Amino acid sequence: MAPKSLTPASTNVVQTLWKAYSDHTFDRLKFIDAFLVFLMLSGIAQFLYCVLVTDYPFNAFLSGFASTVGQFVMTASLRSQVNPENKNEFKEISPERYGIP
């Protein structure tokens, strides 16, 4: 039996989720989310290249992959601090510290 593609109910869920994200997420957070997606895709591409093609300069793979993961973690931390809904959690950090207008 062939696997089913997206059913109308699951398509409706995805559309509802996307609409809620588009309507209720600030542009600043969308920009950070886009960068997080780029970092994730970059890490996946590095990993797949190492597994499928070659891992000859393994130290180069480790440094590139580790820097991608580190940048992802730091950007996710920035996203949680910039989110206006988390303002009460980060009272002692001024908005000027982020470097984002």
Side-chain angles (χ1 to χ4, degrees):
M1 177 179 260
K4 293 182 178 180
S5 61
L6 291 176
T7 62
S10 62
T11 303
N12 189 21
V13 169
V14 171
Q15 289 174 347
T16 304
L17 180 64
W18 182 255
K19 183 165 175 34
Y21 175 78
S22 298
D23 293 343
H24 301 295
T25 304
F26 295 101
D27 289 338
R28 181 181 304 174
L29 295 178
K30 288 178 188 176
F31 183 72
I32 293 174
D33 289 342
F35 186 62
L36 286 171
V37 169
F38 165 74
L39 288 172
M40 185 176 60
L41 293 175
S42 175
I44 290 170
Q46 289 177 24
F47 182 76
L48 288 177
Y49 182 83
C50 179
V51 170
L52 298 176
V53 179
T54 183
D55 65 348
Y56 167 61
F58 192 66
N59 57 346
F61 163 71
L62 285 180
S63 65
F65 191 75
S67 66
T68 302
V69 170
Q71 181 112 18
F72 184 89
V73 169
M74 296 300 282
T75 306
S77 173
L78 174 68
R79 187 193 190 284
S80 68
Q81 293 176 17
V82 171
N83 190 352
E85 295 176 3
N86 295 338
K87 190 176 277 189
N88 293 333
E89 297 293 324
F90 301 103
K91 293 177 187 173
E92 66 277 356
I93 300 176
S94 68
E96 291 83 17
R97 179 175 167 189
Y98 309 136
I100 298 176

XYZ file of all heavy atoms in Angstrom:
803
model
N 0.850 -1.172 0.000
C 0.000 0.000 0.000
C 0.893 1.232 0.000
O 1.814 1.342 0.802
C -0.914 -0.019 1.217
C -1.776 1.196 1.332
S -2.858 1.148 2.753
C -4.352 0.641 1.976
N 0.634 2.146 -0.877
C 1.423 3.364 -0.988
C 1.100 4.301 0.174
O -0.039 4.363 0.627
C 1.130 4.059 -2.310
N 2.113 5.012 0.673
C 1.845 5.954 1.761
C 0.966 7.100 1.274
O 1.073 7.550 0.135
C 3.229 6.450 2.165
C 4.111 6.159 1.021
C 3.502 4.993 0.297
N 0.095 7.522 2.145
C -0.820 8.616 1.791
C -0.081 9.940 1.832
O 0.792 10.159 2.659
C -1.987 8.662 2.769
C -2.903 7.467 2.669
C -4.051 7.617 3.619
C -4.992 6.445 3.493
N -6.127 6.559 4.396
N -0.453 10.817 0.937
C 0.100 12.168 0.978
C -0.705 12.964 2.002
O -1.516 12.415 2.734
C 0.029 12.799 -0.410
O -1.315 12.888 -0.820
N -0.496 14.253 2.022
C -1.213 15.077 2.978
C -2.718 15.003 2.729
O -3.191 15.219 1.627
C -0.753 16.531 2.876
C 0.657 16.831 3.350
C 0.988 18.287 3.087
C 0.802 16.521 4.816
N -3.434 14.662 3.753
C -4.887 14.628 3.651
C -5.422 16.049 3.788
O -4.713 16.942 4.249
C -5.482 13.737 4.760
O -5.139 14.314 6.025
C -4.946 12.320 4.670
N -6.660 16.263 3.388
C -7.218 17.614 3.524
C -7.202 18.115 4.966
O -6.982 19.300 5.201
C -8.651 17.465 3.008
C -8.599 16.307 2.068
C -7.556 15.380 2.644
N -7.400 17.230 5.931
C -7.388 17.659 7.330
C -5.995 18.119 7.746
O -5.840 19.137 8.421
C -7.863 16.527 8.228
N -4.952 17.381 7.341
C -3.591 17.780 7.721
C -3.160 19.028 6.958
O -2.411 19.850 7.479
C -2.613 16.637 7.490
O -2.568 16.286 6.126
N -3.619 19.181 5.725
C -3.326 20.401 4.976
C -3.967 21.599 5.660
O -3.355 22.666 5.759
C -3.856 20.278 3.535
O -3.273 19.136 2.933
C -3.513 21.509 2.717
N -5.182 21.418 6.158
C -5.870 22.478 6.872
C -5.102 22.854 8.139
O -5.003 24.033 8.477
C -7.298 22.052 7.200
C -8.120 23.199 7.742
O -7.798 24.358 7.540
N -9.187 22.858 8.441
N -4.545 21.879 8.824
C -3.781 22.140 10.037
C -2.526 22.944 9.704
O -2.183 23.905 10.393
C -3.416 20.818 10.750
C -2.410 21.045 11.850
C -4.658 20.149 11.290
N -1.839 22.565 8.639
C -0.623 23.269 8.243
C -0.959 24.703 7.842
O -0.252 25.645 8.222
C 0.090 22.518 7.093
C 1.218 23.347 6.517
C 0.588 21.173 7.563
N -2.045 24.895 7.094
C -2.438 26.244 6.692
C -2.822 27.088 7.901
O -2.483 28.267 7.976
C -3.594 26.182 5.701
C -3.197 25.671 4.342
C -4.400 25.494 3.418
O -5.541 25.526 3.842
N -4.102 25.281 2.139
N -3.524 26.494 8.849
C -3.914 27.218 10.057
C -2.690 27.608 10.872
O -2.596 28.734 11.374
C -4.866 26.347 10.913
O -5.984 25.972 10.115
C -5.330 27.093 12.143
N -1.743 26.685 10.986
C -0.516 26.965 11.724
C 0.267 28.085 11.051
O 0.762 29.015 11.711
C 0.335 25.700 11.828
C 1.645 25.821 12.576
C 1.392 26.155 14.040
C 2.436 24.537 12.459
N 0.398 28.026 9.721
C 1.133 29.060 8.986
C 0.452 30.417 9.106
O 1.106 31.435 9.273
C 1.295 28.667 7.520
C 2.071 29.676 6.763
C 1.594 30.595 5.875
C 3.477 29.926 6.844
N 2.602 31.380 5.391
C 3.771 30.981 5.975
C 4.514 29.338 7.571
C 5.053 31.477 5.818
C 5.786 29.829 7.403
C 6.042 30.883 6.544
N -0.879 30.433 9.031
C -1.608 31.698 9.147
C -1.438 32.288 10.543
O -1.214 33.497 10.681
C -3.086 31.489 8.829
C -3.894 32.771 8.869
C -5.226 32.612 8.210
C -6.110 33.803 8.317
N -5.518 35.099 8.301
N -1.507 31.460 11.562
C -1.320 31.956 12.926
C 0.097 32.487 13.123
O 0.302 33.529 13.756
C -1.610 30.847 13.938
N 1.077 31.789 12.572
C 2.464 32.254 12.663
C 2.628 33.587 11.943
O 3.251 34.515 12.465
C 3.404 31.212 12.065
C 4.846 31.647 12.002
C 5.637 31.614 13.140
C 5.403 32.101 10.813
C 6.957 32.020 13.092
C 6.719 32.516 10.755
C 7.500 32.471 11.902
O 8.801 32.888 11.839
N 2.064 33.701 10.748
C 2.186 34.935 9.966
C 1.486 36.111 10.630
O 1.981 37.238 10.587
C 1.610 34.735 8.568
O 2.324 33.756 7.881
N 0.350 35.854 11.237
C -0.444 36.934 11.815
C 0.066 37.396 13.179
O -0.034 38.579 13.506
C -1.911 36.513 11.946
C -2.587 36.327 10.592
O -2.036 36.823 9.586
O -3.644 35.672 10.550
N 0.581 36.478 13.987
C 0.876 36.798 15.382
C 2.358 36.893 15.718
O 2.703 37.198 16.858
C 0.218 35.773 16.298
C -1.271 35.707 16.154
N -2.096 36.760 16.484
C -2.078 34.742 15.686
C -3.349 36.434 16.235
N -3.369 35.209 15.739
N 3.236 36.651 14.762
C 4.674 36.724 15.029
C 5.213 38.044 14.495
O 4.920 38.436 13.371
C 5.407 35.546 14.357
O 4.819 34.331 14.805
C 6.870 35.541 14.731
N 6.004 38.701 15.314
C 6.584 39.980 14.928
C 7.598 39.785 13.809
O 8.231 38.738 13.697
C 7.266 40.631 16.137
C 6.298 40.988 17.231
C 6.168 40.178 18.348
C 5.518 42.133 17.141
C 5.281 40.499 19.354
C 4.629 42.454 18.143
C 4.504 41.642 19.248
N 7.771 40.822 12.983
C 8.694 40.746 11.850
C 10.121 40.478 12.305
O 10.871 39.766 11.646
C 8.650 42.040 11.038
C 7.348 42.179 10.266
O 6.696 41.139 10.021
O 6.991 43.316 9.909
N 10.507 41.038 13.433
C 11.845 40.826 13.971
C 12.081 39.340 14.261
O 13.143 38.794 13.955
C 11.997 41.641 15.252
C 13.329 41.548 15.909
C 13.365 42.354 17.166
N 13.009 43.744 16.894
C 12.840 44.659 17.831
N 12.975 44.335 19.088
N 12.528 45.882 17.518
N 11.078 38.683 14.814
C 11.205 37.259 15.119
C 11.173 36.409 13.851
O 11.846 35.380 13.768
C 10.098 36.820 16.075
C 10.149 37.458 17.466
C 8.975 36.976 18.300
C 11.459 37.171 18.154
N 10.419 36.840 12.855
C 10.393 36.112 11.582
C 11.765 36.155 10.911
O 12.202 35.173 10.317
C 9.335 36.694 10.640
C 7.925 36.399 11.055
C 6.957 37.053 10.086
C 5.534 36.944 10.555
N 4.603 37.666 9.670
N 12.432 37.302 11.007
C 13.770 37.434 10.443
C 14.751 36.494 11.153
O 15.555 35.813 10.512
C 14.234 38.892 10.556
C 15.573 39.142 9.949
C 15.732 39.143 8.574
C 16.664 39.386 10.750
C 16.967 39.370 8.006
C 17.898 39.620 10.195
C 18.053 39.609 8.825
N 14.667 36.447 12.464
C 15.530 35.540 13.231
C 15.192 34.094 12.908
O 16.090 33.250 12.780
C 15.413 35.843 14.739
C 15.998 37.223 15.043
C 16.119 34.784 15.571
C 15.809 37.684 16.468
N 13.910 33.780 12.767
C 13.510 32.418 12.414
C 14.045 32.013 11.046
O 14.470 30.871 10.848
C 11.986 32.289 12.424
C 11.409 32.331 13.827
O 12.165 32.117 14.791
O 10.198 32.585 13.955
N 14.040 32.941 10.096
C 14.579 32.646 8.767
C 16.073 32.338 8.858
O 16.575 31.419 8.191
C 14.333 33.816 7.819
N 16.796 33.078 9.690
C 18.220 32.811 9.869
C 18.438 31.459 10.555
O 19.371 30.726 10.218
C 18.876 33.942 10.666
C 20.359 33.811 10.775
C 21.159 33.840 9.645
C 20.966 33.663 12.008
C 22.535 33.720 9.744
C 22.334 33.549 12.111
C 23.122 33.568 10.972
N 17.571 31.104 11.496
C 17.665 29.792 12.147
C 17.436 28.659 11.151
O 18.122 27.633 11.201
C 16.668 29.692 13.304
C 17.021 30.484 14.561
C 15.853 30.488 15.534
C 18.263 29.932 15.226
N 16.497 28.844 10.247
C 16.254 27.831 9.208
C 17.479 27.711 8.305
O 17.900 26.604 7.952
C 14.986 28.167 8.391
C 14.878 27.298 7.153
C 13.751 28.015 9.248
N 18.084 28.850 7.936
C 19.302 28.822 7.126
C 20.417 28.065 7.846
O 21.117 27.241 7.234
C 19.758 30.244 6.801
C 21.161 30.305 6.284
C 21.441 29.889 4.993
C 22.198 30.743 7.082
C 22.747 29.927 4.506
C 23.486 30.791 6.609
C 23.765 30.380 5.323
N 20.599 28.321 9.130
C 21.645 27.624 9.882
C 21.370 26.128 9.953
O 22.294 25.311 9.845
C 21.765 28.209 11.291
C 22.390 29.591 11.398
C 22.271 30.118 12.818
C 23.841 29.549 10.958
N 20.108 25.761 10.132
C 19.758 24.346 10.193
C 20.048 23.666 8.852
O 20.638 22.584 8.813
C 18.286 24.178 10.571
C 17.868 22.743 10.773
S 16.176 22.569 11.334
C 15.277 23.339 10.024
N 19.652 24.305 7.758
C 19.915 23.731 6.438
C 21.408 23.657 6.144
O 21.886 22.700 5.528
C 19.193 24.535 5.363
C 17.668 24.463 5.402
C 17.068 25.394 4.353
C 17.180 23.051 5.213
N 22.150 24.657 6.601
C 23.598 24.653 6.417
C 24.242 23.496 7.184
O 25.125 22.812 6.658
C 24.179 25.985 6.889
O 25.578 25.972 6.820
N 23.809 23.258 8.402
C 24.333 22.138 9.187
C 23.983 20.795 8.571
O 24.813 19.879 8.538
N 22.766 20.676 8.053
C 22.352 19.428 7.395
C 23.191 19.193 6.144
O 23.641 18.070 5.894
C 20.846 19.475 7.075
C 20.031 19.395 8.361
C 20.451 18.348 6.125
C 18.551 19.660 8.178
N 23.419 20.247 5.367
C 24.231 20.108 4.147
C 25.660 19.697 4.484
O 26.240 18.833 3.810
C 24.224 21.423 3.368
N 26.229 20.280 5.527
C 27.585 19.907 5.936
C 27.643 18.447 6.369
O 28.579 17.713 6.014
C 28.067 20.800 7.075
C 28.353 22.206 6.674
C 28.754 23.060 7.859
O 29.237 22.559 8.869
N 28.556 24.357 7.731
N 26.653 18.031 7.142
C 26.629 16.659 7.632
C 26.461 15.670 6.477
O 27.158 14.651 6.404
C 25.519 16.483 8.662
C 25.470 15.108 9.244
C 26.393 14.716 10.201
C 24.504 14.200 8.836
C 26.354 13.440 10.742
C 24.463 12.933 9.369
C 25.395 12.551 10.324
N 25.538 15.970 5.566
C 25.323 15.078 4.425
C 26.558 15.005 3.533
O 26.905 13.933 3.026
C 24.108 15.536 3.610
C 22.757 15.295 4.262
C 21.643 15.867 3.395
C 22.531 13.820 4.522
N 27.239 16.118 3.348
C 28.463 16.109 2.555
C 29.518 15.223 3.216
O 30.198 14.450 2.547
C 28.997 17.534 2.383
C 30.240 17.594 1.533
C 30.142 17.620 0.157
C 31.497 17.621 2.107
C 31.269 17.664 -0.644
C 32.637 17.667 1.328
C 32.519 17.687 -0.048
O 33.635 17.728 -0.824
N 29.620 15.324 4.530
C 30.602 14.514 5.248
C 30.268 13.031 5.140
O 31.153 12.203 4.955
C 30.651 14.938 6.707
S 31.808 13.987 7.713
N 29.000 12.685 5.241
C 28.597 11.276 5.209
C 28.634 10.716 3.795
O 29.137 9.611 3.566
C 27.180 11.118 5.823
C 26.632 9.731 5.595
C 27.213 11.432 7.309
N 28.120 11.456 2.818
C 27.954 10.923 1.474
C 29.177 11.100 0.577
O 29.454 10.233 -0.253
C 26.740 11.574 0.808
C 25.401 11.315 1.491
C 24.303 12.090 0.789
C 25.090 9.841 1.544
N 29.894 12.204 0.701
C 30.994 12.476 -0.220
C 32.325 12.089 0.409
O 32.949 11.109 0.012
C 30.990 13.956 -0.666
C 32.142 14.240 -1.610
C 29.669 14.293 -1.339
N 32.774 12.846 1.369
C 34.043 12.545 2.015
C 34.148 13.304 3.329
O 33.522 14.334 3.509
C 35.235 12.937 1.121
O 36.441 12.546 1.772
C 35.281 14.429 0.857
N 34.940 12.748 4.199
C 35.239 13.450 5.444
C 36.748 13.611 5.598
O 37.282 13.624 6.687
C 34.650 12.720 6.643
C 35.267 11.357 6.868
O 35.989 10.876 5.987
O 35.024 10.778 7.939
N 37.438 13.741 4.444
C 38.902 13.768 4.475
C 39.466 14.822 5.419
O 40.147 14.470 6.370
C 39.488 13.934 3.074
C 40.948 14.265 3.108
C 41.863 13.390 3.677
C 41.412 15.466 2.622
C 43.194 13.700 3.748
C 42.742 15.776 2.676
C 43.623 14.900 3.247
O 44.943 15.214 3.315
N 39.167 16.110 5.237
C 39.660 17.023 6.277
C 38.639 17.053 7.416
O 37.808 17.969 7.509
C 39.791 18.357 5.568
C 38.804 18.287 4.461
C 38.652 16.838 4.102
N 38.659 16.009 8.244
C 37.627 15.853 9.267
C 37.624 17.029 10.235
O 36.573 17.426 10.732
C 37.823 14.543 10.031
C 36.654 14.183 10.903
C 35.430 13.877 10.353
C 36.793 14.176 12.281
C 34.347 13.554 11.147
C 35.722 13.845 13.091
C 34.505 13.540 12.521
N 38.798 17.600 10.510
C 38.833 18.749 11.408
C 38.096 19.942 10.805
O 37.506 20.741 11.526
C 40.266 19.121 11.777
C 41.117 19.408 10.569
O 40.738 19.095 9.440
N 42.282 19.990 10.807
N 38.098 20.068 9.475
C 37.350 21.147 8.827
C 35.843 20.922 8.992
O 35.093 21.872 9.229
C 37.710 21.237 7.351
N 35.422 19.665 8.854
C 34.005 19.368 9.078
C 33.620 19.673 10.517
O 32.585 20.293 10.777
C 33.691 17.904 8.766
C 32.396 17.435 9.353
C 31.190 17.873 8.840
C 32.372 16.578 10.449
C 29.989 17.462 9.389
C 31.185 16.166 11.000
C 29.986 16.616 10.477
N 34.443 19.241 11.465
C 34.127 19.484 12.876
C 34.037 20.970 13.188
O 33.117 21.409 13.884
C 35.166 18.830 13.780
C 35.076 17.321 13.921
C 36.178 16.822 14.842
C 33.726 16.899 14.440
N 34.968 21.751 12.675
C 34.942 23.184 12.968
C 33.736 23.860 12.312
O 33.074 24.695 12.937
C 36.240 23.848 12.525
O 36.373 23.775 11.125
N 33.429 23.496 11.074
C 32.282 24.096 10.398
C 30.962 23.699 11.036
O 30.089 24.538 11.257
N 30.830 22.426 11.363
C 29.586 21.953 11.966
C 29.421 22.509 13.373
O 28.327 22.927 13.760
C 29.564 20.422 11.970
C 28.234 19.849 12.332
C 27.189 19.868 11.435
C 28.027 19.276 13.577
C 25.951 19.337 11.757
C 26.798 18.744 13.917
C 25.757 18.777 13.011
N 30.498 22.535 14.147
C 30.419 23.071 15.507
C 30.091 24.556 15.504
O 29.314 25.028 16.352
C 31.723 22.817 16.243
N 30.653 25.300 14.568
C 30.329 26.731 14.516
C 28.885 26.949 14.090
O 28.220 27.873 14.577
C 31.279 27.470 13.578
O 31.089 27.055 12.251
N 28.363 26.099 13.210
C 26.956 26.210 12.805
C 26.030 25.915 13.985
O 25.067 26.642 14.225
C 26.658 25.255 11.636
O 27.518 25.574 10.548
C 25.220 25.360 11.194
N 26.341 24.862 14.720
C 25.520 24.516 15.888
C 25.607 25.612 16.946
O 24.594 26.011 17.541
C 25.942 23.146 16.468
C 25.270 22.883 17.801
C 25.619 22.036 15.479
N 26.812 26.125 17.185
C 26.971 27.199 18.165
C 26.217 28.455 17.773
O 25.575 29.091 18.616
N 26.281 28.811 16.515
C 25.553 29.991 16.035
C 24.044 29.772 16.169
O 23.307 30.692 16.525
C 25.905 30.270 14.580
C 25.228 31.472 14.030
C 26.181 32.589 13.743
O 27.363 32.373 13.641
N 25.654 33.770 13.594
N 23.582 28.561 15.901
C 22.158 28.257 16.046
C 21.720 28.433 17.501
O 20.682 29.039 17.787
C 21.873 26.825 15.575
C 20.423 26.460 15.595
C 19.626 26.701 14.499
C 19.854 25.876 16.712
C 18.273 26.373 14.516
C 18.515 25.545 16.740
C 17.722 25.790 15.636
N 22.510 27.917 18.430
C 22.160 28.010 19.854
C 22.149 29.470 20.305
O 21.226 29.902 21.015
C 23.141 27.170 20.696
C 22.984 27.453 22.175
C 22.942 25.686 20.416
N 23.149 30.236 19.894
C 23.208 31.642 20.299
C 22.057 32.450 19.679
O 21.487 33.326 20.333
C 24.554 32.252 19.901
C 25.731 31.619 20.601
S 25.657 31.773 22.382
C 26.164 33.446 22.564
N 21.699 32.151 18.441
C 20.601 32.855 17.792
C 19.265 32.477 18.424
O 18.376 33.327 18.573
C 20.585 32.565 16.282
O 21.868 32.877 15.742
C 19.538 33.385 15.566
N 19.098 31.215 18.804
C 17.872 30.806 19.494
C 17.758 31.510 20.845
O 16.665 31.917 21.261
C 17.854 29.292 19.670
N 18.886 31.696 21.517
C 18.886 32.443 22.772
C 18.508 33.901 22.538
O 17.732 34.491 23.302
C 20.266 32.353 23.427
O 20.332 33.188 24.551
N 19.049 34.490 21.476
C 18.688 35.864 21.128
C 17.204 35.973 20.835
O 16.536 36.921 21.259
C 19.494 36.332 19.919
C 19.117 37.710 19.357
C 19.490 38.800 20.350
C 19.777 37.939 18.026
N 16.650 34.978 20.123
C 15.225 35.012 19.790
C 14.376 35.003 21.052
O 13.382 35.716 21.151
C 14.851 33.828 18.908
C 13.419 33.912 18.405
C 12.954 32.610 17.795
N 11.691 32.734 17.114
C 10.505 32.817 17.707
N 10.439 32.809 19.021
N 9.402 32.925 17.005
N 14.749 34.199 22.026
C 13.960 34.153 23.254
C 14.073 35.445 24.042
O 13.126 35.851 24.719
C 14.374 32.960 24.114
O 15.669 33.143 24.623
N 15.210 36.141 23.947
C 15.365 37.408 24.663
C 14.666 38.562 23.963
O 14.192 39.494 24.615
C 16.852 37.730 24.829
C 17.563 36.779 25.748
C 19.042 37.059 25.831
O 19.501 38.135 25.453
N 19.801 36.106 26.316
N 14.598 38.529 22.628
C 13.980 39.608 21.863
C 12.461 39.491 21.849
O 11.764 40.484 21.666
C 14.547 39.604 20.420
C 13.794 40.542 19.509
C 16.003 39.981 20.443
N 11.932 38.304 22.054
C 10.491 38.078 22.000
C 9.782 38.937 23.053
O 10.075 38.823 24.243
C 10.204 36.593 22.240
C 8.772 36.236 21.955
O 7.929 37.092 21.719
N 8.486 34.946 21.982
N 8.863 39.802 22.646
C 8.171 40.665 23.611
C 7.368 39.889 24.656
O 7.133 40.404 25.747
C 7.238 41.514 22.743
C 7.762 41.421 21.372
C 8.467 40.115 21.268
N 6.956 38.678 24.339
C 6.203 37.877 25.307
C 7.072 37.420 26.472
O 6.554 37.039 27.510
C 5.575 36.683 24.612
C 4.530 37.071 23.589
C 3.983 35.881 22.833
O 4.374 34.738 23.125
O 3.163 36.108 21.936
N 8.391 37.455 26.304
C 9.304 37.037 27.362
C 9.918 38.227 28.086
O 10.947 38.088 28.746
C 10.431 36.177 26.774
C 9.927 34.893 26.203
O 8.864 34.411 26.553
N 10.695 34.319 25.297
N 9.318 39.391 27.970
C 9.885 40.602 28.560
C 10.058 40.471 30.073
O 11.035 40.971 30.635
C 8.991 41.786 28.231
C 9.610 43.132 28.581
C 8.716 44.257 28.142
C 9.000 44.505 26.686
N 8.361 45.712 26.172
N 9.148 39.787 30.743
C 9.246 39.630 32.195
C 10.394 38.717 32.613
O 10.904 38.835 33.722
C 7.936 39.095 32.763
C 6.816 40.105 32.614
O 7.059 41.305 32.569
N 5.592 39.621 32.522
N 10.801 37.813 31.742
C 11.897 36.894 32.058
C 13.262 37.564 31.969
O 14.207 37.142 32.622
C 11.867 35.693 31.100
C 10.622 34.853 31.199
C 10.508 34.121 32.520
O 11.554 33.693 33.059
O 9.377 34.005 33.018
N 13.382 38.601 31.150
C 14.671 39.241 30.893
C 14.597 40.727 31.254
O 14.927 41.595 30.449
C 15.074 39.061 29.430
C 15.184 37.625 29.014
C 14.178 37.032 28.270
C 16.273 36.866 29.378
C 14.268 35.704 27.885
C 16.368 35.534 29.006
C 15.371 34.956 28.262
N 14.187 41.036 32.475
C 14.032 42.432 32.902
C 15.367 43.162 32.973
O 15.461 44.333 32.655
C 13.375 42.477 34.281
C 11.957 42.011 34.300
C 11.422 42.030 35.709
C 10.056 41.394 35.753
N 9.556 41.248 37.104
N 16.404 42.466 33.382
C 17.690 43.124 33.619
C 18.492 43.363 32.340
O 19.515 44.029 32.373
C 18.539 42.312 34.599
C 18.974 40.960 34.077
C 17.933 39.857 34.238
O 16.874 40.082 34.831
O 18.199 38.760 33.753
N 18.044 42.841 31.208
C 18.762 43.010 29.940
C 18.072 44.113 29.141
O 16.893 44.017 28.825
C 18.782 41.701 29.139
C 19.478 40.599 29.942
C 19.477 41.903 27.809
C 19.458 39.254 29.294
N 18.830 45.155 28.816
C 18.249 46.264 28.071
C 18.139 45.923 26.591
O 18.956 45.163 26.070
C 19.102 47.525 28.254
O 20.346 47.351 27.621
N 17.161 46.488 25.879
C 17.022 46.216 24.443
C 18.218 46.687 23.621
O 18.498 46.143 22.570
C 15.757 46.988 24.057
C 15.009 47.183 25.324
C 16.046 47.250 26.408
N 18.951 47.692 24.104
C 20.114 48.179 23.378
C 21.222 47.138 23.314
O 22.056 47.154 22.422
C 20.660 49.463 24.025
C 19.749 50.661 23.864
C 18.650 50.696 24.908
O 18.768 49.985 25.952
O 17.669 51.400 24.688
N 21.237 46.245 24.256
C 22.277 45.221 24.306
C 22.174 44.261 23.127
O 23.167 43.702 22.672
C 22.169 44.445 25.617
C 23.179 43.364 25.758
C 23.086 42.730 27.110
N 23.859 41.499 27.121
C 23.843 40.645 28.092
N 23.105 40.878 29.158
N 24.549 39.551 28.045
N 20.987 44.036 22.600
C 20.789 43.116 21.502
C 21.383 43.629 20.211
O 21.755 42.851 19.341
C 19.308 42.838 21.261
C 18.527 42.426 22.476
C 17.281 42.957 22.739
C 19.041 41.478 23.364
C 16.559 42.567 23.840
C 18.320 41.108 24.475
C 17.088 41.645 24.704
O 16.385 41.266 25.801
N 21.425 44.944 20.039
C 21.901 45.513 18.794
C 20.872 45.460 17.690
O 21.175 45.567 16.526
N 19.623 45.276 18.066
C 18.521 45.221 17.093
C 17.616 46.410 17.358
O 17.158 46.605 18.479
C 17.724 43.910 17.240
C 18.615 42.715 16.953
C 16.522 43.910 16.313
C 17.925 41.397 17.179
N 17.355 47.218 16.335
C 16.500 48.409 16.552
C 15.060 48.047 16.858
O 14.564 47.033 16.555
C 16.588 49.160 15.234
C 17.178 48.252 14.247
C 17.837 47.134 14.985
